[in-house]
Amino acid sequence: MAATVVGDSVAPALGERELAARLGPIVELYRGKQGVAIPLLADIQKEMGYVAREAVEYAGKELSIPAAELFGVATFYAMFRFQPQGKYVVRLCRGTACHVQGSARVQEQLERTLEIHDGETTKDLMFTLQCVACLGCCSLAPVMMVNDDVHGRLTPEKAIQILGDLRNEQ
Amino acid sequence: MSSKMTVTIGLASCGIAAGALPVAQELERLLVGRDDVEIKKVGCIGCCYMEPLIGVIREGKTWTYGRVDLKTLHRIVEEHLNEGRIVEDHLILTEGVEDESRRRAAENPRMEKQVRIVLRNSGLIDPKNIHEYLARDGYRGLTKAVREMTRDDVIKEVLDSGLRGRGGAGFPTGMKWRFARDAKGDLPNAKNPNGTDKYLVCNADEGDPGAFMDRSVLESDPHSVIEGMAIGAYAVGASHGVIYCRAEYPMAIEHIGIALKQAREHGFLGEKILGDENFSFDIYVKEGAGAFVCGEETALIASIEGQRGMPRPRPPFPANSGIWKKPTNINNVETWANVPWILTHGASAFSVYGHGRSKGTKVFALAGKIKKGGLAEVPMGMSLREVIYDIAGGIENDKKFKAVQLGGPSGGCVPEELLDTPVDYESINATGAIMGSGGMVVMDEDTCVVDVARFFLSFVQKESCGKCPFCRIGTRRMLEILERITRGEGALEDLDLLSSLAEQIRDGSLCGLGQTAPNPVLTTLKYFRDEYVAHIVDKKCPAKVCAPLIHYVVDESKCVGCTRCAKDCPVKAISGGLKKPHHIDDETCVRCGLCKKTCPISCIAVA
C-alpha cells in the first residue's frame, strides 16, 4: 500500500458555515443511499481540491458514516489526496512501456529540478509531482500529463523544458 | 467531383495526445461552408504510432493518412479533397481501393493480417452517434437474442463459440453465464415478476501497466460493450448492470455515458427491452479510484459497494453472492465486445478462428521498443514472432530483441527462443507468462531484465491491499532482495531465496494479485539467470541500466575541454577547465546520462 499521510492541511481550516454551504448540496446527493463513500469523497475532492479533514468529518456526521470509515476508503485508493495541489499537476507515467523507455530517469530529473519527491508539491504551489501506474498512451512512451495536456516521447531534458516554459509564462 | 466525401479524424485519447485536436480544429475551419464534405470524429483504429490520422472516404473507398500535422492537412484538403490527387507520402492505409495507391500504402499488409471482431468499429464510426453503430449491424445481436432465441439458446451459442474471458484468466464465458443463470436470484415480486434481481458487471478497470485496449474500445465503440452486456443480461436474467471504469479514463467515461443515454432512448436498455415484457435491464457507470487490486472480482465488488477494494476468499463465488450478496456475473470489456458479433454471425463463424482450446481473436496493446506501437487484433494461434515482427514492425532502431513481457505484473518475460509460441492461453501459460489482458511490452538489448523484474515487484508491492501476509510481506522481501541485486550487493544464495519465496507467495496468497506477483521474477530467473549472475558475481549490469553498477567516464585523451558537459551536469559532478580534459566524479554522479548525450565528440562512455 502506498503510504498516505492524513494530517492537518497547510490550508486554513474552514468554518462550519462555509463547510455547510460548499458541501451541503454534495451531501444531499448521497443521503439515504448505499455504498457512497467513493463518489462522495471524489465530489469532496472536486469541490475542495483535496480531501480535507474537516470536510470528511462534516460529511460523515451528516450522513451518519464514521469519519474513520471514510478515511479508510480514501487512503486505500490512489485517486485521493490530502493536501492541496500545485497549479500544475504533473502526472508522470511509470507504466511498463514508459519504464523500459526511460521514465525512471525523467522522474529523477524532475525530482532534482523541482526539489520535491513523488506526491509532493513545490513550496511556491506551482507544481505537484505524481507518479501514476499507466496513462494508457503507451505508444508515446515515456509520457507525462501536465493538468490535461499529454506530453509524449519525453527525455529528462524535454520534461524540464516543458515545466520551465510553464513557469516562465507566469 | 460530384459525390459526397467524408473526412474522418481519430480523436481517441491517444490521437489527442499525439496532437489531433489542433488538426481537427483546422479541418473544421478549412471546410466551413462546404456541403460536399462531411467531417466525422472517430476513435482509434490501432495505428497509434502514426497518429494523428486523417481518413478520406469516397464511394466506399478509404484512404488514410498518418502523422498529419497542419501542413499535411492543408495538402490533403488542397490535393485530395479539391483536386482528387492522393498525397502519396503520407498515405498509410487504404480500404476498398484497387489502384496503385493500394500498393503504396505501407500499413495495408499489417492490417490485412488482422481479424477485427472486437475492433470491428473502432476508428471507423463516430462513437457518440448510435446511428453509425446501428448502420454497422449494431444491436442486431441483441434483437436476434430477444426476438428469436431463448435464454438457454443464447448461453449455448456463447458456449459453442468457445469464447473465453479476455481479462486474462480465460474461463469459458458461456459457463460463467450458466452459473449466474442457475444461481437463485430473488423470488418473483411486484418489481421483478420473474425474480431476476441479478447483477452484471463490465470490468473496465484496466490496471495493467502497458495495456490500453479497454480504453480504446470504450472510447471508440462503447455501444458494442453495452450491447454485449444487454445480451448477457437477457441470458442470465439480470436486471442491473455496472460498468466499473478507471477514473483515469475520462473520455471513456464520457463516451459510455452518451452511449447509455442513446441506448435507453432507442429501447435497448430500460424497461421491457425490444418489447419483451419480461426483460428489463439498465446499466450505470461506477468510477474506480485507482487501485490495481480492484481488477480482482471480489475486490471489485467491495469497491462497487463503496468499501476498500479488498478481495475475500471464495466460495461463495460472485455468481452466487456478489454485489449486495446478489448473484453477479463479471466479464471484462473485450469479452463483452465479442458477444454481439457472436450472436450476429453465429458461434461457428467465431470458432473458425483459433488454436486449440482458444477460439476467436485477441487484441494486443503493442508497446515498448518496437517500431509500430498501438493496438492489433489477431486470430488466436498467430505466433509471437509474427505479432512482434510483422504487426509491430520489429525492434526499434533494429536493435536486438531480448524479451517480450506478456500479462503485466501477473505475467512474465518470454525470451527469443520461444518466439514461435502461438498466442493461445495454454501455449502462453506453458512459457510461464500469461495471456493476461493483452499487454505486450517488447524489450531490446538495452533493457535489463533484472530491473524489469524489480519494477514489477515494486508495482505489486505498492498495490497489494495488505490483507494477507504472504502478499503484503512476501512481495516486500522479494523486492528488497532484487534491489540488493541491482545495487550489486546480492549473493548467489539470493536466487534460491527468491525462488522459494516466490513459491510460497504463489501458494499462500488470498487472491490473484499475490498468487501471480512472483511470475515476472520466476520467468526472468528461468530464462535470464545469466544476467542475475552477472549482477551478483561480476557486479555488472550487462544492459547498462542499473545505476549503481555503471559509471560514466570521460575519455580524457579525446576530450577537448569544451565544458558543455560540465555546464549541463545537474549535480556539478564534472570538473576541468576550458580546453582542459574533463573528469567525472563517480561519487557525485547520478548517472542521468545527460553528459553523454551532450558531448559533441562522443568522448563520454558508460563502463
Side-chain angles (χ1 to χ4, degrees):
Chain A
M1 253 181 304
T4 319
V5 182
V6 187
D8 288 318
S9 158
V10 294
L14 296 171
E16 189 80 13
R17 191 181 290 171
E18 194 181 346
L19 281 172
R22 288 177 71 177
L23 300 175
I26 295 173
V27 165
E28 291 316 314
L29 277 179
Y30 297 105
R31 202 180 287 284
K33 288 191 185 153
Q34 275 183 306
V36 300
I38 297 171
L40 170 69
L41 288 161
D43 283 354
I44 289 176
Q45 178 159 293
K46 210 181 268 173
E47 171 63 29
M48 316 286 288
Y50 66 108
V51 178
R53 183 172 171 158
E54 61 267 28
V56 172
E57 281 163 357
Y58 171 85
K61 208 159 65 192
E62 286 290 312
L63 298 173
S64 306
I65 308 171
E69 193 181 314
L70 290 174
F71 278 121
V73 172
T75 50
F76 185 83
Y77 296 99
M79 185 175 113
F80 299 112
R81 47 182 187 264
F82 305 94
Q83 295 289 340
Q85 286 188 303
K87 184 172 175 204
Y88 298 104
V89 179
V90 181
R91 295 201 289 165
L92 177 70
C93 182
R94 292 289 285 117
T96 323
C98 288
H99 180 74
V100 304
Q101 303 275 36
S103 71
R105 286 189 172 176
V106 179
Q107 182 186 343
E108 275 173 25
Q109 187 74 290
L110 285 173
E111 290 183 334
R112 203 159 32 235
T113 312
L114 299 174
E115 296 178 328
I116 51 172
H117 289 105
D118 174 20
E120 295 176 350
T121 302
T122 53
K123 280 205 195 83
D124 59 1
L125 287 177
M126 264 307 251
F127 297 107
T128 298
L129 179 64
Q130 273 175 8
C131 293
V132 299
C134 186
L135 291 170
C137 297
C138 311
S139 51
L140 293 171
V143 173
M144 70 176 181
M145 254 176 107
V146 183
N147 291 350
D148 290 329
D149 295 329
V150 178
H151 302 272
R153 301 197 175 100
L154 287 180
T155 59
E157 305 85 75
K158 195 170 155 191
I160 299 303
Q161 175 84 46
I162 290 164
L163 301 192
D165 289 349
L166 286 172
R167 206 187 277 268
N168 289 337
E169 273 174 27
Q170 297 307 301
Chain B
M1 240 159 289
S2 56
S3 65
K4 192 161 167 133
M5 284 184 281
T6 304
V7 180
T8 62
I9 172 146
L11 286 174
S13 55
C14 44
I16 290 176
L21 274 183
V23 177
Q25 280 163 6
E26 181 69 359
L27 180 67
E28 279 174 339
R29 195 186 68 80
L30 288 173
L31 298 184
V32 161
R34 282 183 65 161
D35 49 14
D36 61 327
V37 193
E38 180 194 21
I39 299 173
K40 186 152 90 177
K41 293 172 179 172
V42 299
C44 176
I45 203 167
C47 297
C48 305
Y49 73 102
M50 271 288 173
E51 289 186 305
L53 298 177
I54 291 273
V56 179
I57 307 172
R58 218 184 103 225
E59 293 165 353
K61 299 174 182 173
T62 307
W63 293 267
T64 304
Y65 296 104
R67 299 232 165 108
V68 177
D69 55 12
L70 294 182
K71 203 172 137 213
T72 315
L73 179 73
H74 280 259
R75 283 187 57 201
I76 293 169
V77 171
E78 192 62 31
E79 295 174 29
H80 197 153
L81 299 192
N82 295 349
E83 297 165 17
R85 223 164 3 98
I86 290 152
V87 186
E88 298 269 3
D89 44 338
H90 280 269
L91 184 71
I92 60 163
L93 205 61
T94 67
E95 214 195 312
V97 178
E98 286 304 333
D99 63 13
E100 183 66 1
S101 57
R102 178 190 148 81
R103 202 176 56 77
R104 296 216 184 118
E107 296 303 303
N108 279 1
R110 179 176 179 267
M111 290 305 262
E112 280 158 15
K113 275 197 146 228
Q114 299 186 39
V115 174
R116 293 169 84 91
I117 292 176
V118 174
L119 303 179
R120 60 193 178 277
N121 299 319
S122 292
L124 304 178
I125 65 168
D126 177 352
K128 295 185 190 173
N129 183 347
I130 191 172
H131 296 287
E132 300 222 343
Y133 182 69
L134 291 171
R136 289 180 61 89
D137 288 344
Y139 291 105
R140 249 186 63 192
L142 176 66
T143 311
K144 186 171 162 194
V146 174
R147 299 236 166 103
E148 297 167 27
M149 299 165 83
T150 67
R151 298 178 172 211
D152 287 325
D153 289 343
V154 176
I155 293 183
K156 188 170 179 302
E157 193 78 30
V158 174
L159 261 181
D160 289 348
S161 74
L163 176 66
R164 293 165 69 179
R166 298 292 194 248
F171 192 80
T173 305
M175 225 146 57
K176 211 174 188 181
W177 287 16
R178 185 166 282 165
F179 293 147
R181 162 113 173 98
D182 292 345
K184 242 181 100 205
D186 278 7
L187 293 172
N189 56 40
K191 207 174 159 213
N192 294 297
N194 294 292
T196 54
D197 207 6
K198 296 180 184 177
Y199 281 84
L200 276 195
V201 179
C202 170
N203 181 353
D205 197 41
E206 193 161 66
D208 268 17
F212 51 93
M213 61 287 287
D214 292 351
R215 172 183 68 68
S216 191
V217 170
L218 292 171
E219 285 178 357
S220 308
D221 190 18
H223 282 289
S224 66
V225 177
I226 294 170
E227 185 184 356
M229 288 180 77
I231 293 167
Y234 176 76
V236 309
S239 43
H240 313 285
V242 183
I243 298 180
Y244 185 87
C245 187
R246 294 187 76 168
E248 288 93 332
Y249 288 174
M251 183 183 281
I253 292 169
E254 184 206 336
H255 287 189
I256 301 166
I258 295 169
L260 285 174
K261 189 163 168 279
Q262 292 172 341
R264 277 181 213 120
E265 285 164 4
H266 283 76
F268 299 123
L269 287 178
E271 302 284 317
K272 296 173 189 160
I273 292 170
L274 292 164
D276 186 330
E277 288 286 324
N278 299 321
F279 180 33
S280 296
F281 174 69
D282 208 341
I283 300 173
Y284 71 95
V285 178
K286 185 97 187 180
E287 285 183 41
F292 179 64
V293 68
C294 288
E296 179 79 21
E297 289 194 336
T298 55
L300 192 152
I301 289 167
S303 183
I304 288 177
E305 292 175 351
Q307 307 159 27
R308 295 166 75 100
M310 288 185 167
R312 58 158 176 79
R314 291 173 289 187
F317 287 92
N320 293 309
S321 178
I323 298 173
W324 309 121
K325 304 225 173 343
K326 309 278 189 198
T328 300
N329 179 77
I330 304 176
N331 289 117
N332 101 316
V333 172
E334 191 182 335
T335 315
W336 288 122
N338 269 301
V339 171
W341 194 95
I342 292 170
L343 267 288
T344 311
H345 296 87
S348 51
F350 186 81
S351 58
V352 163
Y353 303 107
H355 188 257
R357 295 202 292 118
S358 306
K359 301 296 181 199
T361 59
K362 180 74 195 90
V363 181
F364 285 103
L366 309 167
K369 308 273 183 94
I370 42 166
K371 288 183 183 153
K372 302 179 173 183
L375 283 187
E377 182 172 357
V378 301
M380 294 272 190
M382 186 181 270
S383 73
L384 286 171
R385 191 185 300 279
E386 259 183 292
V387 176
I388 293 166
Y389 284 89
D390 298 350
I391 292 185
I395 313 297
E396 219 177 17
N397 303 320
D398 294 316
K399 294 230 176 187
K400 203 169 160 321
F401 173 92
K402 181 177 263 180
V404 53
Q405 212 284 339
L406 299 171
S410 309
C413 290
V414 178
E416 171 137 46
E417 61 265 30
L418 294 177
L419 272 188
D420 292 312
T421 306
V423 288
D424 69 63
Y425 292 96
E426 280 69 29
S427 307
I428 301 271
N429 287 352
T431 67
I434 58 164
M435 182 85 89
S437 54
M440 207 185 256
V441 182
V442 176
M443 300 164 188
D444 67 3
E445 56 193 309
D446 294 337
T447 314
C448 171
V449 290
V450 184
D451 173 67
V452 168
R454 186 192 56 80
F455 166 81
F456 279 114
L457 260 197
S458 104
F459 180 84
V460 290
Q461 190 268 128
K462 270 190 216 133
E463 292 291 339
S464 168
C465 81
K467 193 171 186 175
C468 66
F470 279 102
C471 177
R472 180 181 69 238
I473 305 169
T475 57
R476 167 147 284 254
R477 291 290 96 87
M478 284 183 81
L479 176 61
E480 284 166 2
I481 297 170
L482 284 166
E483 282 175 342
R484 217 154 60 211
I485 295 174
T486 54
R487 280 200 309 265
E489 294 163 10
L492 281 174
E493 298 85 72
D494 282 341
L495 301 184
D496 299 328
L497 191 53
L498 275 179
S499 308
S500 103
L501 268 171
E503 269 165 48
Q504 293 175 52
I505 294 167
R506 190 181 57 200
D507 298 341
S509 292
L510 175 63
C511 82
L513 186 145
Q515 288 156 9
T516 60
N519 282 353
V521 178
L522 286 173
T523 52
T524 47
L525 265 177
K526 183 171 169 193
Y527 299 120
F528 300 95
R529 203 178 177 86
D530 290 357
E531 285 200 32
Y532 281 89
V533 173
H535 282 73
I536 293 168
V537 178
D538 309 333
K539 312 284 177 213
K540 287 243 155 70
C541 173
K544 300 189 169 150
V545 170
C546 297
L549 299 181
I550 58 173
H551 310 276
Y552 283 84
V553 194
V554 182
D555 183 343
E556 294 183 16
S557 66
K558 276 204 228 154
C559 177
V560 293
C562 72
T563 75
R564 242 201 248 177
C565 59
K567 263 188 214 136
D568 278 6
C569 178
V571 290
K572 305 284 163 233
I574 307 180
S575 56
L578 189 65
K579 293 187 181 166
K580 286 187 189 128
H582 280 53
H583 176 78
I584 300 174
D585 177 36
D586 199 51
E587 288 284 300
T588 322
C589 173
V590 291
R591 281 91 173 145
C592 70
L594 197 55
C595 53
K596 184 170 182 274
K597 225 179 273 173
T598 304
C599 180
I601 55 167
S602 309
C603 73
I604 298 176
V606 188

